[in-house]
Each structure stands twice: as structure tokens, then as C-alpha cells.
Amino acid sequence: MTDKQILLLPGPTPVPPRVALAMARPAINHRGPEFSELLHTVTQGLKRVFKTNNDVVILTASGTGGMEAAVANLLSPGDKALVVTVGVFGERFVKIAQRFGVETEVLAFPYGQAADPAAVAERLARDKAGEIKAILVQHNETSTGVLNDIEAISKARGDHPALLVVDTISGLAAADLRVDEWGIDVAIAGSQKAFMVPPGLTMLSLSDRAWQAVEKCKNHRYYLDLKDARNYGLKGQTPHTPAVSLLYGLKEALAMLEEETLEKSFRRHACLRDMVRAGIKALGLEPLADDRVASPSVTAVKVPAGLKPADITVPLREKHGVVVAGGQGQVKDRVFRIGHLGYVNHMDVLSGLAALEEVLASLGVISVSGIGVAKALEVYQKFNA
Ligand SMILES: Cc1ncc(COP(=O)(O)O)c(C=O)c1O
């Protein structure tokens, strides 16, 4: 059988049959009442996941479009942003901001480490003139498998007026994020991660302070104009033709998340994270990130000496149908990444670990013993005792 795959990617994640079926509905008029109802339901559901009463807008674009929309709508050419980076997606924020003429100051932390809130506090304390207009940071850095402490970073901001812009594309619904309680001005999500929907939608929440910045912003934008999105949203529409099928999928996925509850989704993801980490460590492999900052969505695993990521990822896919991701950025040749977010359960992870063990054995790194699966199963039992 060649078409059966176990997707252990950090996005796109597997799509639940319920979501796929919901997306197969016949077309509707996106200027009609059915669409208004759909948009309203999805927007309200998203607010519960973002934990916010702020406006939430949905754009037809991948997550990067959401990052670009945040920059282009909040920051004018010449404005200064503090970009806190812990990997590739932080670096992407730098590139986007620079393309839009924003002056970037980069506070970079080594790959595999989390951002230090004290360093953010120290930098902002020195900005007596309030030149830094925004802090751009990832909640979950997908390239390294690190979860930043956004609550602590928000506290580190103190009374500084900078807007806090958080890319939670691979974090939201897998890890807790409290937009209102933590004072997040803009949070950016993506459909193909823990929302279990195919790629193509990005969802952003904006605080009142963020909207004030939008009013003043002089950067160019047309398709990604957030004010347009909000104004049309008030009429139950979107400015341009939306990805209606994906919105039907998102409505169903939000219903699934509500049935599971967010708390149980966070716990499931934490369990999968700990299963993967216990399993790979038992096989003699090392995660890039320390346990204390480990992502519940994805684990970057260091490749054993003398091997390349493809030596592992290709046989995993070709022999076992287990699809994992390669490395990115500075650790491109040093890690492969096991995704464990979205529509993934313990059996997917156990299968992935069994396949990994077989591949490592066929490469002569270990001999087959089942130890990775056994250790992961122990974790599963502890979580579900
Ligand atoms: C943290 C993070 N930010 C941004 C992106 C970019 O999203 P997209 O690939 O949907 O444009 C990703 C995608 O993997 C991501 O994980």
C-alpha cells in the first residue's frame, strides 16, 4: 500500500474526516445570508480559542500573509520594531518588516533556546523615548521546537507603549494563549496547524490599541488591508472572494475543538510532546530544545553524527509512509522535525516512533528493541492514569 501516510508534520496537519466532509458542501453566495451566518459562527468560535473579546479577522492567505498583514497595517516606513527571534520564523518577521521599510532591531537567541523576557525588559527600559513601536515575536517557533513564554514577555513590556505582536501560527489551540489576559495586541494564527484545516486561512486578533495604530499607519496595503476586513466583517462579508470551503472546514474544526475542550487539547499536545521526547531519547537521539522550553506542537531532533536529515526522513516516508519534516535555517542539516499537532493522537506517535526505530536500525545506529515505543507508552499511561 503506497498511499497510506501518517503525517507527522508541523503543518499541514492531517485533516479530520468531519472537516473534509464539511468542506465538500456545495458552493454558496459569499454575499448572501448563508455566508454571513458562517462568518459570524467561525469568528465567534475563534474568539473563544484566542481567549479574546477583541476583533478577529480572517484573511484568505497562508500564515505568512497574516504576518505581512500585521506589519503592513501597524508599522509605517521608518518606524522601529524590536524583533525577538529564536529561529527561522522570527527571521521571517525581520525580512517582512524590512521589506516594508521598518527599522528592525533584532534580539536574537540561539536556535533551541527560548527568548529571555529579562532581555526584552532590559531593552525596552533603555528606550526612554518610546521609539520602539512594536515587539514582534513567535509563540511557538516551528523551526526549533521551542515555546516562548508570551505571558512573561508581555509582563516584560511593562508600561512601554510598544504593541505586542505574536505569531502563534503553530501554537494556538496546541498551547494556551490568552490574548486579553496577557495583553497581546495582535495574535496571528493559521488554519493548517492545530486547527486541523488545510492551508489557506490566516486569522488575526487586534486590540483597540492595534486598531489605533492601523488608523495612523502609512504603509501600503490593498489585499491585506485589515480595516477593510473589519468593515466588511461588520456586514457579514469579506472584501474579496473568501475561501468558503475552508471556512466550512474551520467551522467544523472549531466544533471539534469545543467538544474536546481547549484544556484537553493542550493536555493531548503536551502528552504527545512528552511521548516523542521520551521515545527519541530512549533511541539515543537528542532533541534540539531543552525540556523546559519544549514545544507541544513539534520536536526538532538532532541527527546522529555522520548522517543527514534525509537519511532518516526519506526511508521513513518511502518504507513506512511516515512523513516528518527536515530542518530549516541554521539547523537545516542538523535536525529533522517530528510534528505532533492538530489531528494527531498517541497511536500516530507510537507508529512514528516504531518506524523511526526501524530506520535507525537499518542505518546501523541501534538494534531493534521496541524501547522507544515502550518509553512513549509509559508516558501515555502516566498522562491517562
Ligand atoms: C511559527 C510560524 N510562523 C509562520 C509560518 C508561516 O506560515 P505559512 O507557511 O502558512 O505561510 C509558519 C509555518 O510553518 C510557522 O510555523
Side-chain angles (χ1 to χ4, degrees):
M1 192 186 287
T2 54
D3 63 344
K4 185 170 168 121
Q5 289 192 329
I6 296 174
L7 227 51
L8 292 175
L9 290 174
T13 79
V15 174
R18 268 175 73 175
V19 172
L21 273 175
M23 292 190 303
R25 283 185 57 136
I28 56 167
N29 174 14
H30 66 285
R31 303 276 177 227
E34 302 89 346
F35 182 78
S36 296
E37 174 67 30
L38 173 64
L39 187 63
H40 177 76
T41 307
V42 168
T43 306
Q44 294 310 311
L46 286 172
K47 286 184 184 191
R48 289 191 284 276
V49 179
F50 280 80
K51 299 190 173 171
T52 189
N53 291 317
N54 288 339
D55 289 320
V56 170
V57 298
I58 306 167
L59 306 175
T60 304
S62 79
T64 308
M67 295 168 78
E68 179 160 333
V71 169
N73 285 269
L74 295 173
L75 295 164
S76 301
D79 277 353
K80 185 169 185 167
L82 181 66
V83 194
V84 182
T85 70
V86 298
V88 165
F89 292 101
E91 290 159 12
R92 184 171 298 180
F93 247 155
V94 176
K95 288 183 196 152
I96 295 171
Q98 288 177 348
R99 288 274 178 101
F100 281 86
V102 174
E103 190 193 324
T104 52
E105 181 171 326
V106 182
L107 190 55
F109 296 89
Y111 276 48
Q113 291 183 20
D116 178 6
V120 176
E122 187 277 327
R123 177 61 193 95
L124 293 176
R126 279 194 285 116
D127 182 35
K128 302 277 184 245
E131 284 177 350
I132 295 171
K133 298 284 180 251
I135 305 158
L136 311 181
V137 65
Q138 270 60 40
H139 179 205
N140 187 76
E141 175 52 68
T142 320
S143 62
T144 59
V146 165
L147 189 73
N148 276 325
D149 186 343
I150 297 299
E151 185 181 14
I153 290 173
S154 180
K155 283 193 182 135
R157 177 176 51 162
D159 295 333
H160 192 285
L163 296 168
L164 180 58
V165 179
V166 178
D167 161 1
T168 181
I169 289 167
S170 62
L172 199 65
D176 199 10
L177 187 87
R178 304 177 184 196
V179 165
D180 289 358
E181 197 179 316
W182 298 351
I184 299 167
D185 293 292
V186 178
I188 309 157
S191 54
Q192 79 276 27
K193 309 283 183 176
F195 284 101
M196 311 176 282
V197 176
L201 296 177
T202 181
M203 303 81 89
L204 299 96
S205 71
L206 283 95
S207 69
D208 290 344
R209 277 183 357 108
W211 285 121
Q212 286 160 22
V214 171
E215 288 296 337
K216 286 192 226 130
C217 179
K218 295 193 172 57
N219 242 322
H220 294 294
R221 64 268 194 189
Y222 179 79
Y223 182 71
L224 298 177
D225 190 310
L226 293 176
K227 225 171 98 180
D228 279 355
R230 181 174 66 168
N231 290 342
Y232 272 83
L234 294 173
K235 298 186 284 180
Q237 292 186 14
T238 55
H240 322 289
T241 312
V244 179
S245 312
L246 293 177
L247 285 163
Y248 272 125
L250 185 53
K251 181 182 167 194
E252 193 63 29
L254 286 165
M256 287 179 67
L257 277 171
E258 295 212 354
E259 284 161 26
E260 181 179 24
T261 75
L262 275 182
E263 288 313 314
K264 285 197 181 138
S265 175
F266 302 152
R267 195 171 159 75
R268 171 168 55 88
H269 284 91
C271 175
L272 298 178
R273 170 197 65 203
D274 290 359
M275 286 176 72
V276 167
R277 295 176 76 81
I280 57 144
K281 285 179 191 170
L283 298 177
L285 301 181
E286 206 190 327
L288 180 66
D290 193 74
D291 286 349
R292 284 166 303 135
V293 297
S295 159
S297 312
V298 53
T299 302
V301 185
K302 292 185 192 168
V303 171
L307 294 179
K308 301 185 295 299
D311 295 333
I312 294 173
T313 59
V314 172
L316 273 177
R317 190 188 70 241
E318 290 184 350
K319 282 172 70 181
H320 304 286
V322 170
V323 185
V324 299
Q328 288 179 301
Q330 286 172 26
V331 290
K332 192 175 187 331
D333 300 322
R334 287 181 28 221
V335 304
F336 66 98
R337 292 171 302 145
I338 303 176
H340 34 84
L341 82 160
Y343 191 57
V344 175
N345 71 7
H346 58 289
M347 292 311 296
D348 298 317
V349 163
L350 292 174
S351 302
L353 287 169
L356 179 61
E357 181 157 339
E358 199 283 327
V359 167
L360 291 175
S362 63
L363 289 166
V365 179
I366 55 167
S367 48
V368 169
S369 67
I371 182 75
V373 168
K375 288 288 174 197
L377 211 41
E378 273 176 29
V379 171
Y380 174 77
Q381 283 181 323
K382 266 191 210 140
F383 261 85
N384 294 281

